[in-house]
């Protein structure tokens, strides 16, 4: 059994299937990486260096942004990855990734869920 | 005999197919909840109650949501008959609930606490009515029904790193298969689509449906932002983070696997609104497990496939909730609460296809009457979503 799993070839992190000890070298997908700090079971390890501000990629998609430089073999978790979603604390007013997002009721957070017009159109 | 595409269910007067045959005892308001629970307990397990905190002191949208959610349960095909327990002075209209049940071809009757003259008399009257309904329902027989008649709710709770790697993809394969057979799948928890919405939107049947999905995901994010808070206090939850999940995006990408890998997104509906499309529907529910399952069952789901990494016990008053884990430790330490262990996928001892085959069989067996762990333990959690303060 492999000790860490890589889901997509685009990923720069692997998920540890068992606790990984510092100093050990593991094979994860097509990559070999030397573990530089303890990685708890189920947590992520960087497969290659990830620069501060770069995307952390798992499942082939960005799961957040590196909040500091992350070395290959390092533990990747809340201490060095920032989510870019749902961050009211940063004054971010929602995520506008698509023109459809920008329209209409997005500025009306108090709008009652049951009366949401799109839902009515749907049924 | 049933084939691998059929199960033994109840064919209702309105043409819908049920997988359980409950006498549902519905309090109109929190004030009649205890009487309703005592009536249901007298004829358990056929009897099941819907205790809730609402029904009065609510305005506009919340009152409507309470009314329509309760009415949806009264119409639900897993229910064979309905006793509505009213107080007498509340906002929720007992007649509306009885009418909903009768419109779906079910016997239904109101018992009023003020009308009967107190707790004891209302309880005794309610038990009489419920017993009589239970006697009628006992004569209903299960008949062979196609898997295409199913609306399957997919849900995850207490997620950890195993969820996105094993249990959610296994459920996703079952979801694809249900849709291939002509059935329907419903996915809720908008906050847990955040970060994966581009993948679901790309599967939308048309641009309008994609736009609807993006709009409701954005609304949830804007609501969190309007509070001036970081959603990370709750998404991912502290348990998710201990389990190795770092961000909501990571949780969502793992979570949306359970909606299948290739089925088209056909529709987006409001909380507890009827799921009418075959194929995949997204329902606008919060991430909180019980509120989410309550809404999806209200929408017509007869069964819930619920994945968990850390383990969670919750069920539903009228729908079987099957618990699936990919965490070998949870399968052992919380065996009481787990129906299916797919941790072999994590050890590479079982393929996802094999796990999905076992899950599909377990789902049809549960639909044919086999009790889930949540049912055996009496887990009947029910919570109607609400948005506004009590007045």
């Amino acid at each position: 059994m492999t000790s860490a799993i890589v889901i997509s070839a685009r990923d720069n992190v692997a998920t540890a299937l068992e606790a990984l000890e510092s100093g050990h070298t593991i094979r994860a997908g097509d990559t070999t990486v030397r573990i530089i700090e303890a990685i708890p079971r189920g947590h992520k390890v960087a497969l290659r260096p990830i620069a501060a501000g770069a995307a952390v990629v798992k499942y082939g998609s960005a799961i957040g942004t590196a909040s500091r430089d992350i070395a290959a073999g390092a533990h990747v978790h809340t201490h060095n990855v920032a989510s870019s979603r749902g961050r009211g604390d940063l004054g971010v007013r929602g995520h506008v990734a698509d023109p459809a997002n920008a329209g209409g009721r997005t500025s009306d957070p108090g709008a009652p869920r049951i009366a949401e017009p799109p839902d009515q159109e749907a049924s | 005999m049933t084939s691998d595409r059929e199960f033994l269910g109840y064919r209702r007067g309105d043409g819908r197919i049920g997988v359980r045959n409950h006498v549902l005892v519905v309090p109109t308001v929190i004030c009649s909840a205890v009487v309703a629970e005592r009536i249901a307990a007298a004829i358990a397990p056929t009897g099941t109650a819907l205790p809730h905190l609402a029904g009065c002191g609510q305005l506009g949208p919340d009152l409507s949501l309470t009314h329509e959610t309760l009415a949806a349960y009264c119409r639900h095909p897993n229910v064979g008959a309905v006793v509505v327990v009213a107080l007498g002075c509340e906002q929720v209209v007992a007649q509306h609930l009885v009418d909903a049940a009768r419109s779906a071809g079910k016997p239904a009757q109101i018992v009023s606490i003020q009308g009967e003259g107190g707790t004891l008399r209302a309880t005794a009257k309610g038990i009489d009515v419920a017993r009589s309904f239970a006697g009628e329902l006992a004569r209903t027989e299960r008949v062979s029904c196609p898997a295409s008649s199913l609306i399957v709710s997919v849900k995850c709770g207490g997620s950890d790193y195993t969820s996105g790697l094993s249990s959610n993809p296994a459920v996703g394969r079952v979801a694809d298969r249900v849709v291939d057979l002509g059935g329907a799948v419903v996915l809720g928890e908008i906050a847990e689509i955040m970060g994966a919405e581009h993948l679901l939107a790309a599967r939308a049947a048309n641009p309008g449906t994609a736009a609807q999905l993006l709009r409701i995901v954005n609304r949830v994010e804007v609501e969190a932002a309007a509070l001036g808070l970081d959603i990370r206090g709750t998404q991912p939850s502290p348990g998710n983070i201990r389990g190795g999940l770092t961000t909501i995006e990571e949780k969502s990408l793992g979570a949306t696997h359970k909606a299948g890998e290739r089925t088209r997104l056909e529709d987006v509906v409001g909380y507890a609104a009827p799921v009418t499309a075959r194929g995949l529907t997204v329902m606008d529910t919060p991430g909180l497990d019980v509120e989410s399952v309550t809404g999806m069952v209200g929408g017509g789901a007869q069964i819930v496939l619920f994945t968990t990494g850390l383990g969670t016990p919750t069920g539903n008053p009228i729908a079987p909730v099957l618990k699936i884990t990919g965490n070998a430790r949870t399968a052992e330490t919380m065996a009481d609460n787990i129906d299916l262990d797919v941790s072999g996928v994590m050890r590479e001892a079982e393929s996802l296809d094999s796990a999905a085959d076992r899950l599909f069989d377990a789902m049809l067996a549960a639909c044919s009457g086999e009790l889930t762990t949540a049912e055996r333990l009496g887990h009947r959690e029910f919570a109607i979503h609400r948005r506004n303060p009590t007045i």
Side-chain angles (χ1 to χ4, degrees):
Chain A
M1 146 175 176
T2 51
S3 51
I5 186 168
V6 181
I7 298 153
S8 160
R10 292 166 53 197
D11 294 359
N12 53 16
V13 294
T15 301
L17 296 174
E18 58 195 49
L20 303 177
E21 286 175 34
S22 179
H24 286 205
T25 297
I26 62 151
R27 188 163 177 77
D30 299 330
T31 310
T32 301
V33 63
R34 184 165 177 276
I35 306 300
I36 62 167
E37 58 188 327
I39 313 288
R41 185 171 58 101
H43 287 230
K44 292 175 291 299
V45 56
L47 293 172
R48 40 187 175 273
I50 306 170
V56 176
V57 180
K58 179 182 170 184
Y59 299 110
S61 292
I63 62 164
T65 306
S67 55
R68 59 173 95 148
D69 289 341
I70 303 173
H75 185 205
V76 178
H77 203 23
T78 49
H79 62 289
N80 55 14
V81 181
S83 170
S84 27
R85 305 297 302 273
R87 296 297 301 274
D89 58 325
L90 301 180
V92 178
R93 297 286 299 169
H95 172 74
V96 184
D98 185 284
N101 271 355
R105 305 179 66 85
T106 54
S107 62
D108 183 11
R113 185 165 302 207
I114 193 169
E116 193 76 7
D119 300 337
Q120 301 306 313
E121 288 160 16
S123 51
Chain B
M1 278 298 290
T2 56
S3 76
D4 62 351
R5 301 168 166 221
E6 291 175 332
F7 63 95
L8 295 171
Y10 297 98
R11 206 170 278 281
R12 302 299 181 194
D14 60 355
R16 292 167 78 185
I17 305 291
V19 306
R20 292 293 180 270
N21 199 26
H22 287 298
V23 173
L24 184 65
V25 187
V26 188
T28 50
V29 61
I30 184 172
C31 316
S32 55
V34 165
V35 170
E37 287 188 287
R38 287 179 186 165
I39 293 167
I43 56 157
T46 300
T48 186
L50 290 188
H52 63 89
L53 305 176
C56 225
Q58 294 189 294
L59 294 176
D62 268 354
L63 179 60
S64 166
L65 201 55
T66 299
H67 242 137
E68 293 316 314
T69 304
L70 294 176
Y73 274 70
C74 292
R75 282 189 294 264
H76 197 285
N78 287 2
V79 169
V82 175
V83 181
V84 176
V85 183
L87 174 58
C89 53
E90 66 277 26
Q91 282 182 303
V92 162
V93 180
Q95 190 62 43
H96 176 66
L97 304 182
V98 160
D99 289 347
R102 288 178 183 155
S103 73
K106 306 176 204 304
Q109 191 169 328
I110 299 170
V111 173
S112 157
I113 297 175
Q114 290 170 354
E116 294 300 325
T119 294
L120 298 179
R121 279 188 280 261
T123 306
K125 173 73 180 296
I127 291 173
D128 272 355
V129 173
R131 279 219 175 98
S132 148
F133 284 160
E136 287 178 42
L137 294 192
R139 291 194 291 275
T140 321
E141 289 197 359
R142 287 184 180 266
V143 296
S144 188
C145 298
S148 60
S149 61
L150 289 176
I151 300 174
V152 178
S153 156
V154 294
K155 175 76 187 80
C156 55
S159 298
D160 70 2
Y161 75 104
T162 65
S163 304
L165 298 176
S166 57
S167 52
N168 286 340
V171 166
R173 278 164 167 74
V174 171
D176 282 338
R177 190 158 157 194
V178 166
V179 172
D180 287 345
L181 291 171
V185 171
V186 56
L187 171 74
E189 305 184 287
I190 302 308
E192 297 178 27
I193 294 175
M194 194 184 295
E197 66 270 49
H198 57 293
L199 302 176
L200 276 179
R203 281 160 50 187
N206 57 63
T209 305
Q212 275 181 296
L213 174 76
L214 296 174
R215 206 174 295 138
I216 60 169
V217 172
N218 189 57
R219 191 208 65 230
V220 170
E221 195 162 11
V222 168
E223 283 171 355
L227 297 173
L229 301 173
D230 179 352
I231 199 172
R232 285 179 301 179
T234 177
Q235 290 287 12
S237 70
N240 293 152
I241 291 173
R242 277 195 300 278
L245 297 177
T246 304
T247 63
I248 182 59
E249 296 96 308
E250 180 182 13
K251 183 174 174 178
S252 295
L253 288 163
T256 50
H257 281 331
K258 65 189 183 294
E261 309 297 328
R262 55 189 161 80
T263 53
R264 290 199 316 178
L265 172 64
E266 300 287 348
D267 204 0
V268 178
V269 301
Y271 184 84
V275 172
T276 53
R278 309 322 286 175
L280 175 63
T281 292
V282 166
M283 180 179 286
D284 188 357
T285 81
L288 184 63
D289 292 346
V290 177
E291 284 189 14
S292 177
V293 167
T294 295
M296 290 190 283
V297 172
Q302 300 106 319
I303 185 163
V304 182
L305 303 183
F306 193 126
T307 68
T308 183
L310 303 167
T312 175
T314 58
N316 180 267
I318 64 170
V321 177
L322 262 179
K323 291 281 166 47
I324 304 118
T325 190
N327 185 321
R329 192 171 302 173
T330 299
E332 191 181 322
T333 60
M334 288 192 55
D336 283 3
N337 301 107
I338 301 298
D339 293 283
L340 202 76
D341 173 3
V342 297
S343 61
V345 172
M346 299 298 301
R347 296 190 304 273
E348 297 178 343
E350 182 176 30
S351 69
L352 272 172
D353 285 335
S354 158
D357 285 346
R358 287 196 295 125
L359 175 56
F360 189 85
D361 291 346
M363 177 184 76
L364 290 189
C367 288
S368 293
E370 198 169 288
L371 295 180
T372 61
T373 56
E375 289 177 296
R376 283 200 297 268
L377 294 171
H379 278 288
R380 288 185 285 265
E381 288 80 358
F382 178 81
I384 304 171
H385 178 55
R386 60 189 303 163
R387 302 177 57 79
N388 299 312
T390 305
I391 303 297

